[in-house]
Amino acid sequence: MERNVRLRAVCLAGPSDAGKTTLVEQLVPRLADSGRVGTIKSIHHDIEVDTPGTDTHRHRTAGAETVVGITPAMTFEVTTHGKDAPPAADGDALLASDDPEVQALSRTLERLARRGYDIVLVEGFSQSPLPTILVGDREPAAVGGPVVGRGDDAIDDLVDTIRSLEPLEC
């Protein structure tokens, strides 16, 4: 019997260099006091996160869809499905959308929910229907979700807002 996982997720949306990452850095330790916190970062250009020539890079370039590296201190996962080609849904999507970027976000949120995360801060993905904290001069009409706060709100108020969000049913 699969348990009903409840996850709170919020987007932080704003222009480049508006302070989104700094706000994430301030929110994570406060939210982690009461549960598992994960973050998702939207990156608008391709980067190489796995050093060419390493064994894990060789596994991926040989054709593995997902490669997991486990070190003494960290575990990391590299999966070939990004925004351009998100993995197919197993059933109903958590976030209903025809947008491949939102579909990729939805699949990632579902994975984190299954892994037992309580809160996920999503930096970027401004067109998702998730509750959104506006950072910088972004206008409410420029985001896909309801605005629940602003980056210049008191940090304790933002923490309370995030903790009080309606959980997503996963």
Side-chain angles (χ1 to χ4, degrees):
M1 178 180 185
E2 191 172 316
R3 78 183 169 108
N4 188 24
V5 180
R6 297 170 67 82
L7 172 77
R8 287 174 174 81
V10 64
C11 283
L12 287 84
S16 241
D17 295 325
K20 297 181 299 292
T21 301
T22 300
L23 184 56
V24 168
E25 290 174 317
Q26 294 170 348
L27 289 169
V28 167
R30 287 170 174 85
L31 293 166
D33 286 344
S34 61
R36 294 183 70 199
V37 177
T39 66
I40 299 171
K41 168 71 174 128
S42 176
I43 301 172
H44 300 288
H45 53 85
D46 286 333
I47 62 170
E48 183 57 63
V49 295
D50 193 13
T51 307
T54 61
D55 291 348
T56 53
H57 184 267
R58 291 171 61 192
H59 294 185
R60 185 170 52 85
T61 58
E65 185 176 314
T66 298
V67 176
V68 177
I70 302 174
T71 75
M74 292 193 299
T75 299
F76 66 92
E77 176 180 319
V78 179
T79 303
T80 58
H81 296 295
K83 294 182 202 178
D84 291 339
D90 297 340
D92 290 337
L94 179 62
L95 304 175
S97 176
D98 292 333
D99 181 347
E101 186 170 305
V102 174
Q103 291 173 2
L105 173 60
S106 180
R107 299 284 88 71
T108 303
L109 286 168
E110 290 166 8
R111 272 196 321 275
L112 293 176
R114 285 192 303 272
R115 293 175 184 171
Y117 286 85
D118 300 299
I119 296 173
V120 176
L121 303 178
V122 179
E123 184 177 333
F125 293 97
S126 61
Q127 292 310 305
S128 82
L130 292 173
T132 302
I133 296 171
L134 294 178
V135 181
D137 61 2
R138 183 68 45 106
E139 292 297 322
V143 298
V147 175
V148 296
R150 295 218 171 241
D152 55 4
D153 291 348
I155 196 74
D156 289 335
D157 291 343
L158 291 173
V159 167
D160 290 344
T161 296
I162 294 167
R163 286 183 177 147
S164 70
L165 290 174
E166 189 66 31
L168 302 170
E169 293 285 337
C170 305

